[in-house]
Amino acid sequence: LAKTTQPISMDSYEGQEVNITCSHNNIATNDYITWYQQFPSQGPRFIIQGYKTKVTNEVASLFIPADRKSSTLSLPRVSLSDTAVYYCLVGRYNQGGKLIFGQGTELSVKP
Amino acid sequence: DTGVSQNPRHKITKRGQNVTFRCDPISEHNRLYWYRQTLGQGPEFLTYFQNEAQLEKSRLLSDRFSAERPKGSFSTLEIQRTEQGDSAMYLCASSRQTATRGDTQYFGPGTRLTVL
């Protein structure tokens, strides 16, 4: 499974757009990209998943360039409640098995 | 979907005791996973079931750990002769095998184990 690298921490203010970039240089053809959000003492929560180009849902957008060696999670107009750890993961398409979590990006949103 | 549920949410035990956790996956999800998470770290994979078959086990899963998924529905994770190093959040996740998109794992709230 491809290793991912993302910033350890980021700071933002309420109302700003936050972009968290993840690099996955060794991503394979069959790999897809998934982002999770985790609050303290809770299980990770699925945010968004994509394979290429752009994916958008009611929570976030995911931008994936043509070479797929990186991806960017975009959170529009963050609020204090978006303070959490965000994990970028790469997994095989339609293949079950373990997810490998890194340390994630600790996002702190300030008023 | 009602979500993945885990019981108990918290467990405090003394070293040497046995503990058992239960996970109820989202209905119709045929894959079930167990992870362990310690403070400041991301979740670490423990084991994975597809239906009732245990397909993968991590080296983290020592012989004191055993997981079952009878009939391919709920799962239990048992830790025998607990040690203080077993203190962690134990997370369960489930997913549904599909042919059209990535295997998305949905996590439960976790069981916080404290070994005194």
Side-chain angles (χ1 to χ4, degrees), chain A residues 77-90:
Chain A
R77 298 181 300 282
V78 294
S79 63
L80 296 177
S81 62
D82 292 316
T83 294
V85 177
Y86 292 81
Y87 294 99
C88 162
L89 297 101
V90 172

Side-chain angles (χ1 to χ4, degrees), chain B residues 4-102:
Chain B
V4 177
S5 61
Q6 293 186 246
N7 287 288
R9 294 292 311 278
H10 303 274
K11 179 68 177 180
I12 300 174
T13 191
K14 294 182 179 179
R15 188 177 54 181
Q17 298 294 305
N18 299 342
V19 294
T20 300
F21 309 141
R22 176 177 170 128
C23 171
D24 288 272
I26 294 171
S27 59
E28 298 180 356
H29 277 194
N30 63 328
R31 291 173 173 161
L32 188 147
Y33 306 80
W34 285 98
Y35 292 82
R36 180 174 70 184
Q37 186 174 25
T38 53
L39 198 61
Q41 302 298 315
E44 295 175 293
F45 170 79
L46 293 178
T47 190
Y48 151 54
F49 291 86
Q50 180 156 308
N51 301 311
E52 65 274 8
Q54 189 172 19
L55 296 187
E56 189 174 357
K57 290 173 63 174
S58 164
R59 295 176 198 173
L60 293 174
L61 217 65
S62 73
D63 56 4
R64 296 185 297 107
F65 288 71
S66 63
E68 294 182 343
R69 193 183 183 200
K71 303 178 183 177
S73 56
F74 70 92
S75 175
T76 58
L77 177 68
E78 180 182 17
I79 309 174
Q80 296 182 327
R81 305 181 303 281
T82 53
E83 301 172 356
Q84 288 185 325
D86 297 331
S87 296
M89 174 79 87
Y90 289 83
L91 294 162
C92 176
S94 71
S95 68
R96 184 176 60 171
Q97 184 178 5
T98 74
T100 57
R101 55 186 172 84

Side-chain angles (χ1 to χ4, degrees), chain A residues 32 34 36 38 41-46 49 87 92-103, chain B residues 31 33 35 37 40-43 45 48 56 89 91 98-105 107-109:
Chain A
Y32 57 92
T34 308
Y36 286 87
Q38 188 176 28
S41 299
Q42 294 186 25
R45 182 176 80 104
F46 170 81
Q49 184 179 84
Y87 294 99
R92 287 292 145 84
Y93 198 87
N94 192 33
Q95 180 175 331
K98 60 188 173 188
L99 293 176
I100 298 178
F101 286 80
Q103 284 196 300
Chain B
R31 291 173 173 161
Y33 306 80
Y35 292 82
Q37 186 174 25
Q41 302 298 315
F45 170 79
Y48 151 54
E56 189 174 357
M89 174 79 87
L91 294 162
T98 74
T100 57
R101 55 186 172 84
D103 184 74
T104 303
Q105 296 183 25
F107 285 80

Side-chain angles (χ1 to χ4, degrees), chain A residues 24-61:
Chain A
H24 26 80
N25 292 319
N26 296 324
I27 191 168
T29 303
N30 292 335
D31 288 341
Y32 57 92
I33 300 150
T34 308
W35 285 79
Y36 286 87
Q37 174 193 57
Q38 188 176 28
F39 300 111
S41 299
Q42 294 186 25
R45 182 176 80 104
F46 170 81
I47 301 176
I48 198 165
Q49 184 179 84
Y51 183 78
K52 61 181 179 180
T53 62
K54 176 183 175 182
V55 179
T56 297
N57 61 21
E58 64 277 5
V59 177
S61 294

